[in-house]
Amino acid sequence: SSHCGARSARSAPFARRPPRRSAGSKSSSAMGRVIRGSRKGKSLIFTAKTRLRKGAVKLRAVDYAERHGYIKGLVKQIIHDPGRGAPMCEVVFRDPYRYKLKKERWIAVEGLHTGQFVYCGAKAQLSIGNVLPIGKMPEGTTISMCEEKASDRGRLARASGCNCMVVGHSDDGRKTRIRMPSGSRKTVPSTCRAIVGIAAGGGRLDKPVLKAGANYHKYKVKRNCWPKVRGSAMNPVEHPHGGGNHQHVGHPTTICRAAVPGQKVGLIAARRTGILRGGKKK
């Protein structure tokens, strides 16, 4: 009777064994978590919050008036752009070809005020708020919102309190050397334009944060990138640096360029690591 009971239990549907898997096939349960760095590329929850933003800041598109003379604009208002540290100004120009007005949005420079006239062009004066080619500026001029390539409408020194400085011009007058906000030097074409003055809103980081709520509101209007959990504080399933009885990485944090997503965290394709010792090379 005991044999019969065993046979009936074996033939019962709930006692059926699952089919044996071959060694080569992967089960879905064997995979780990998709790490945060990989999710940032795909997921929409990490995209920037752009609904209330005023728009991109750009210099005027280059035209005949700017290349051969100058054009006058009026600063209508200075506005705050959510998620941007520097204030933005709205400058109105008369369209040189049609009967209409054209609004441009720039980074406001220190000393700019509403109702001020600003001039753009090769023959504009060197005064705060004016836009002219850096080849026309003397050495030592402080500039912001500088173009990297001619007519790209402003790429460098656009953050609050940032500025570049004209260091020198080439003998043929085609290239100009500028000092970047980082201190490094860069050679750009002399036809690149820039605003004269320092980008407004400087000293923004001098005030201490003091509480987490300040950072919460700061990053809420930017994008979902705060708070940032360290990889070594995670579990092994969530990050290559996770796990262990103490919070430690346990292996070098340098990783090759060809590493697969999910493994590619830390110092990616680092040429060197560690602190910079000694003075800067001239």
Side-chain angles (χ1 to χ4, degrees):
S1 62
S2 62
H3 287 296
C4 292
R7 198 178 297 120
S8 63
R10 211 175 288 129
S11 61
F14 53 80
R16 225 178 268 152
R17 283 183 184 153
R20 188 169 288 171
R21 223 181 240 107
S22 63
S25 66
K26 271 192 175 180
S27 68
S28 60
S29 61
M31 287 190 65
R33 186 82 59 87
V34 178
I35 66 166
R36 180 180 58 195
S38 296
R39 288 194 298 127
K40 280 191 173 182
K42 181 185 177 185
S43 175
L44 292 175
I45 66 168
F46 296 106
T47 50
K49 314 285 183 63
T50 55
R51 184 173 61 90
L52 295 172
R53 294 194 183 173
K54 305 295 185 289
V57 285
K58 291 180 179 180
L59 299 176
R60 280 185 83 248
V62 182
D63 57 1
Y64 185 88
E66 282 212 30
R67 279 196 302 271
H68 299 284
Y70 62 87
I71 187 167
K72 183 171 81 168
L74 176 65
V75 180
K76 278 285 184 186
Q77 54 179 344
I78 293 173
I79 47 182
H80 169 68
D81 189 27
R84 189 190 293 275
M88 185 191 279
C89 66
E90 201 174 77
V91 187
V92 175
F93 294 89
R94 286 175 63 180
D95 191 299
Y97 304 108
R98 291 170 188 81
Y99 178 66
K100 62 177 180 180
L101 298 175
K102 276 198 169 181
K103 282 183 186 173
E104 303 290 343
R105 285 182 296 269
W106 296 350
I107 294 293
V109 293
E110 286 182 12
L112 198 74
H113 57 84
T114 52
Q116 179 178 337
F117 288 118
V118 292
Y119 298 88
C120 302
K123 295 188 177 175
Q125 268 191 332
L126 188 78
S127 58
I128 296 290
N130 286 0
V131 178
L132 52 155
I134 53 177
K136 304 279 183 184
M137 299 178 189
E139 294 171 11
T141 308
T142 306
I143 54 175
S144 58
M145 207 167 161
C146 179
E147 290 181 334
E148 198 170 5
K149 299 179 179 70
S151 310
D152 70 8
R153 303 180 71 179
R155 291 285 180 271
L156 310 174
R158 295 156 42 122
S160 56
C162 284
N163 66 285
C164 290
M165 184 183 279
V166 178
V167 175
H169 304 287
S170 64
D171 294 335
D172 60 357
R174 293 183 137 189
K175 299 280 183 184
T176 299
R177 195 109 167 118
I178 57 171
R179 197 188 69 215
M180 306 282 280
S182 64
S184 63
R185 312 216 163 182
K186 187 177 176 71
T187 304
V188 294
S190 296
T191 50
C192 290
R193 299 167 300 160
I195 305 177
V196 181
I198 300 172
R204 181 167 49 88
L205 299 176
D206 295 350
K207 182 183 176 185
V209 175
L210 290 180
K211 55 182 186 175
N215 265 342
Y216 167 81
H217 291 293
K218 175 185 172 180
Y219 289 104
K220 192 181 180 203
V221 290
K222 287 178 181 282
R223 68 202 70 82
N224 176 16
C225 63
W226 185 90
K228 193 170 280 180
V229 178
R230 289 169 298 124
S232 58
M234 297 182 189
N235 296 316
V237 73
E238 288 147 356
H239 200 276
H241 296 174
N245 283 346
H246 298 283
Q247 281 191 12
H248 71 294
V249 178
H251 56 84
T253 54
T254 48
I255 190 79
C256 69
R257 176 81 69 207
V260 294
Q263 184 192 11
K264 204 169 179 180
V265 293
L267 303 166
I268 298 169
R271 289 196 176 93
R272 67 178 302 286
T273 59
I275 60 171
L276 290 164
R277 290 196 179 277
K280 273 193 177 178
K281 289 179 184 175
K282 293 289 182 188

